[in-house]
Short mmCIF file of all heavy atoms in Angstrom, two decimals:
data_model
loop_
_atom_site.label_atom_id
_atom_site.label_comp_id
_atom_site.label_asym_id
_atom_site.label_seq_id
_atom_site.Cartn_x
_atom_site.Cartn_y
_atom_site.Cartn_z
N THR A 1 206.26 235.98 109.24
CA THR A 1 205.39 234.84 109.49
C THR A 1 205.74 233.65 108.62
O THR A 1 205.32 232.53 108.90
CB THR A 1 203.92 235.22 109.24
OG1 THR A 1 203.76 235.67 107.89
CG2 THR A 1 203.45 236.29 110.20
N THR A 2 206.50 233.85 107.54
CA THR A 2 206.90 232.73 106.69
C THR A 2 208.09 231.97 107.26
O THR A 2 208.46 230.93 106.73
CB THR A 2 207.25 233.22 105.28
OG1 THR A 2 208.41 234.07 105.35
CG2 THR A 2 206.10 234.00 104.66
N VAL A 3 208.66 232.44 108.35
CA VAL A 3 209.85 231.80 108.91
C VAL A 3 209.57 230.38 109.36
O VAL A 3 210.36 229.48 109.15
CB VAL A 3 210.41 232.63 110.09
CG1 VAL A 3 211.51 231.87 110.80
CG2 VAL A 3 210.92 233.96 109.59
N THR A 4 208.41 230.14 110.00
CA THR A 4 208.13 228.82 110.55
C THR A 4 208.13 227.75 109.47
O THR A 4 208.48 226.61 109.75
CB THR A 4 206.75 228.84 111.25
OG1 THR A 4 205.77 229.32 110.33
CG2 THR A 4 206.79 229.75 112.47
N ALA A 5 207.76 228.11 108.26
CA ALA A 5 207.76 227.13 107.18
C ALA A 5 209.16 226.79 106.71
O ALA A 5 209.35 225.82 105.98
CB ALA A 5 206.94 227.65 106.00
N MET A 6 210.13 227.56 107.15
CA MET A 6 211.50 227.37 106.68
C MET A 6 212.40 226.80 107.77
O MET A 6 213.59 226.61 107.55
CB MET A 6 212.09 228.71 106.21
CG MET A 6 211.33 229.35 105.08
SD MET A 6 212.12 230.92 104.62
CE MET A 6 211.05 231.45 103.29
N GLU A 7 211.86 226.52 108.95
CA GLU A 7 212.71 226.14 110.08
C GLU A 7 213.50 224.88 109.82
O GLU A 7 214.57 224.68 110.39
CB GLU A 7 211.86 225.99 111.34
CG GLU A 7 211.33 227.33 111.84
CD GLU A 7 210.49 227.18 113.08
OE1 GLU A 7 210.17 226.03 113.44
OE2 GLU A 7 210.13 228.19 113.68
N SER A 8 213.00 223.99 108.95
CA SER A 8 213.72 222.75 108.67
C SER A 8 214.88 222.95 107.71
O SER A 8 215.64 222.04 107.48
CB SER A 8 212.75 221.71 108.08
OG SER A 8 212.21 222.19 106.87
N GLN A 9 215.01 224.18 107.15
CA GLN A 9 216.09 224.48 106.23
C GLN A 9 217.06 225.43 106.93
O GLN A 9 216.78 226.61 107.04
CB GLN A 9 215.55 225.10 104.96
CG GLN A 9 214.48 224.24 104.28
CD GLN A 9 213.93 224.91 103.05
OE1 GLN A 9 214.68 225.49 102.27
NE2 GLN A 9 212.63 224.83 102.87
N PRO A 10 218.21 224.93 107.42
CA PRO A 10 219.04 225.72 108.32
C PRO A 10 219.74 226.91 107.68
O PRO A 10 220.05 227.86 108.36
CB PRO A 10 220.07 224.71 108.83
CG PRO A 10 220.13 223.66 107.75
CD PRO A 10 218.73 223.58 107.22
N PHE A 11 220.01 226.89 106.39
CA PHE A 11 220.77 227.99 105.79
C PHE A 11 220.09 228.45 104.51
O PHE A 11 220.51 228.12 103.41
CB PHE A 11 222.22 227.56 105.50
CG PHE A 11 223.00 227.28 106.75
CD1 PHE A 11 223.27 226.00 107.15
CD2 PHE A 11 223.45 228.34 107.54
CE1 PHE A 11 223.98 225.76 108.32
CE2 PHE A 11 224.16 228.10 108.71
CZ PHE A 11 224.43 226.81 109.10
N ILE A 12 219.04 229.22 104.68
CA ILE A 12 218.34 229.80 103.54
C ILE A 12 218.84 231.22 103.35
O ILE A 12 218.82 232.02 104.28
CB ILE A 12 216.81 229.79 103.77
CG1 ILE A 12 216.32 228.36 103.85
CG2 ILE A 12 216.10 230.57 102.68
CD1 ILE A 12 214.87 228.22 104.17
N ARG A 13 219.27 231.53 102.15
CA ARG A 13 219.85 232.85 101.90
C ARG A 13 219.10 233.55 100.79
O ARG A 13 218.44 232.94 99.97
CB ARG A 13 221.34 232.73 101.55
CG ARG A 13 222.16 232.13 102.68
CD ARG A 13 223.64 232.17 102.35
NE ARG A 13 224.41 231.57 103.42
CZ ARG A 13 224.77 232.20 104.52
NH1 ARG A 13 224.45 233.46 104.71
NH2 ARG A 13 225.47 231.58 105.46
N THR A 14 219.20 234.86 100.80
CA THR A 14 218.56 235.66 99.77
C THR A 14 219.32 235.52 98.46
O THR A 14 220.43 235.00 98.43
CB THR A 14 218.55 237.15 100.19
OG1 THR A 14 219.89 237.52 100.50
CG2 THR A 14 217.69 237.35 101.41
N PRO A 15 218.76 235.97 97.32
CA PRO A 15 219.43 235.82 96.03
C PRO A 15 220.80 236.46 96.02
O PRO A 15 221.11 237.36 96.80
CB PRO A 15 218.47 236.54 95.07
CG PRO A 15 217.14 236.48 95.74
CD PRO A 15 217.42 236.57 97.20
N ALA A 16 221.64 235.97 95.11
CA ALA A 16 223.00 236.50 94.99
C ALA A 16 222.97 238.01 94.79
O ALA A 16 222.09 238.55 94.14
CB ALA A 16 223.71 235.82 93.81
N CYS A 17 223.96 238.66 95.37
CA CYS A 17 223.97 240.12 95.38
C CYS A 17 225.03 240.66 94.44
O CYS A 17 225.74 239.92 93.77
CB CYS A 17 224.21 240.59 96.82
SG CYS A 17 223.66 242.26 97.10
N HIS A 18 225.15 241.98 94.40
CA HIS A 18 226.06 242.65 93.48
C HIS A 18 227.52 242.50 93.92
O HIS A 18 227.81 242.26 95.08
CB HIS A 18 225.72 244.13 93.40
CG HIS A 18 225.94 244.87 94.68
ND1 HIS A 18 225.05 244.81 95.73
CD2 HIS A 18 226.95 245.66 95.10
CE1 HIS A 18 225.50 245.55 96.73
NE2 HIS A 18 226.66 246.07 96.38
N THR A 19 228.42 242.64 92.98
CA THR A 19 229.84 242.72 93.26
C THR A 19 230.43 243.91 92.50
O THR A 19 229.83 244.40 91.54
CB THR A 19 230.59 241.44 92.84
OG1 THR A 19 230.36 241.20 91.44
CG2 THR A 19 230.09 240.24 93.64
N GLY A 20 231.60 244.35 92.92
CA GLY A 20 232.23 245.48 92.27
C GLY A 20 231.52 246.78 92.58
O GLY A 20 230.75 246.89 93.54
N HIS A 21 231.78 247.81 91.78
CA HIS A 21 231.06 249.07 91.92
C HIS A 21 230.14 249.22 90.71
O HIS A 21 230.54 249.03 89.57
CB HIS A 21 232.01 250.26 92.09
CG HIS A 21 233.02 250.43 91.01
ND1 HIS A 21 234.09 249.57 90.83
CD2 HIS A 21 233.14 251.37 90.03
CE1 HIS A 21 234.82 249.97 89.81
NE2 HIS A 21 234.27 251.05 89.29
N ILE A 22 228.87 249.52 90.99
CA ILE A 22 227.80 249.49 90.00
C ILE A 22 227.45 250.90 89.56
O ILE A 22 227.15 251.76 90.40
CB ILE A 22 226.54 248.80 90.58
CG1 ILE A 22 226.90 247.44 91.20
CG2 ILE A 22 225.47 248.66 89.51
CD1 ILE A 22 227.47 246.45 90.24
N LEU A 23 227.44 251.12 88.26
CA LEU A 23 227.02 252.41 87.73
C LEU A 23 225.51 252.56 87.91
O LEU A 23 224.74 251.74 87.42
CB LEU A 23 227.39 252.54 86.26
CG LEU A 23 226.98 253.83 85.56
CD1 LEU A 23 227.65 255.04 86.20
CD2 LEU A 23 227.31 253.76 84.06
N VAL A 24 225.09 253.60 88.62
CA VAL A 24 223.68 253.81 88.91
C VAL A 24 223.12 255.01 88.14
O VAL A 24 222.03 254.96 87.60
CB VAL A 24 223.46 254.01 90.43
CG1 VAL A 24 221.97 254.14 90.74
CG2 VAL A 24 224.06 252.85 91.21
N TYR A 25 223.89 256.09 88.08
CA TYR A 25 223.42 257.31 87.43
C TYR A 25 224.50 257.89 86.52
O TYR A 25 225.70 257.74 86.78
CB TYR A 25 223.09 258.40 88.46
CG TYR A 25 222.11 258.02 89.53
CD1 TYR A 25 222.49 258.04 90.88
CD2 TYR A 25 220.80 257.68 89.23
CE1 TYR A 25 221.60 257.73 91.88
CE2 TYR A 25 219.90 257.36 90.23
CZ TYR A 25 220.30 257.39 91.55
OH TYR A 25 219.42 257.08 92.55
N GLU A 26 224.04 258.59 85.49
CA GLU A 26 224.90 259.45 84.69
C GLU A 26 224.19 260.80 84.56
O GLU A 26 223.02 260.86 84.19
CB GLU A 26 225.16 258.86 83.31
CG GLU A 26 226.00 257.59 83.34
CD GLU A 26 226.41 257.12 81.96
OE1 GLU A 26 227.19 257.83 81.30
OE2 GLU A 26 225.93 256.04 81.56
N VAL A 27 224.91 261.86 84.90
CA VAL A 27 224.34 263.21 84.80
C VAL A 27 225.41 264.11 84.21
O VAL A 27 226.48 264.29 84.79
CB VAL A 27 223.85 263.72 86.18
CG1 VAL A 27 224.91 263.63 87.25
CG2 VAL A 27 223.29 265.13 86.06
N GLY A 28 225.15 264.67 83.03
CA GLY A 28 226.17 265.43 82.33
C GLY A 28 227.36 264.53 82.02
O GLY A 28 227.21 263.43 81.47
N ASN A 29 228.55 264.99 82.39
CA ASN A 29 229.76 264.19 82.20
C ASN A 29 230.10 263.32 83.41
O ASN A 29 231.16 262.69 83.43
CB ASN A 29 230.96 265.11 81.91
CG ASN A 29 230.81 265.83 80.59
OD1 ASN A 29 230.30 265.27 79.63
ND2 ASN A 29 231.26 267.08 80.54
N HIS A 30 229.23 263.31 84.40
CA HIS A 30 229.54 262.64 85.65
C HIS A 30 228.87 261.27 85.74
O HIS A 30 227.76 261.07 85.23
CB HIS A 30 229.08 263.50 86.83
CG HIS A 30 229.54 264.93 86.74
ND1 HIS A 30 230.84 265.26 86.42
CD2 HIS A 30 228.88 266.11 86.92
CE1 HIS A 30 230.97 266.58 86.40
NE2 HIS A 30 229.80 267.11 86.70
N LYS A 31 229.56 260.36 86.44
CA LYS A 31 229.02 259.03 86.69
C LYS A 31 228.98 258.80 88.20
O LYS A 31 229.91 259.18 88.92
CB LYS A 31 229.89 257.96 86.02
CG LYS A 31 229.89 258.06 84.49
CD LYS A 31 230.76 256.97 83.87
CE LYS A 31 230.73 257.06 82.36
NZ LYS A 31 231.56 256.00 81.73
N ILE A 32 227.90 258.17 88.65
CA ILE A 32 227.71 257.92 90.08
C ILE A 32 227.51 256.43 90.29
O ILE A 32 226.64 255.82 89.66
CB ILE A 32 226.53 258.73 90.63
CG1 ILE A 32 226.79 260.23 90.45
CG2 ILE A 32 226.28 258.40 92.10
CD1 ILE A 32 225.63 261.11 90.85
N TYR A 33 228.31 255.86 91.20
CA TYR A 33 228.30 254.42 91.44
C TYR A 33 227.88 254.12 92.88
O TYR A 33 227.98 254.96 93.77
CB TYR A 33 229.70 253.84 91.24
CG TYR A 33 230.29 254.01 89.87
CD1 TYR A 33 230.93 255.19 89.50
CD2 TYR A 33 230.26 252.96 88.94
CE1 TYR A 33 231.50 255.35 88.24
CE2 TYR A 33 230.83 253.10 87.68
CZ TYR A 33 231.45 254.30 87.33
OH TYR A 33 232.01 254.45 86.09
N GLY A 34 227.47 252.89 93.10
CA GLY A 34 227.26 252.36 94.43
C GLY A 34 228.15 251.15 94.64
O GLY A 34 228.45 250.41 93.68
N ALA A 35 228.58 250.94 95.89
CA ALA A 35 229.49 249.81 96.16
C ALA A 35 229.49 249.48 97.64
O ALA A 35 229.03 250.25 98.48
CB ALA A 35 230.91 250.15 95.69
N GLY A 36 230.05 248.30 97.93
CA GLY A 36 230.31 247.89 99.31
C GLY A 36 231.77 247.49 99.42
O GLY A 36 232.31 246.84 98.51
#
């Protein structure tokens, strides 16, 4: 419903996103990452 208030702004984008592969978890000697 907030879209109509933004119609005059043609290119509205969400905040900057992650880059690279991100360390998310460590369990024992293991590391688990997320990436695109």
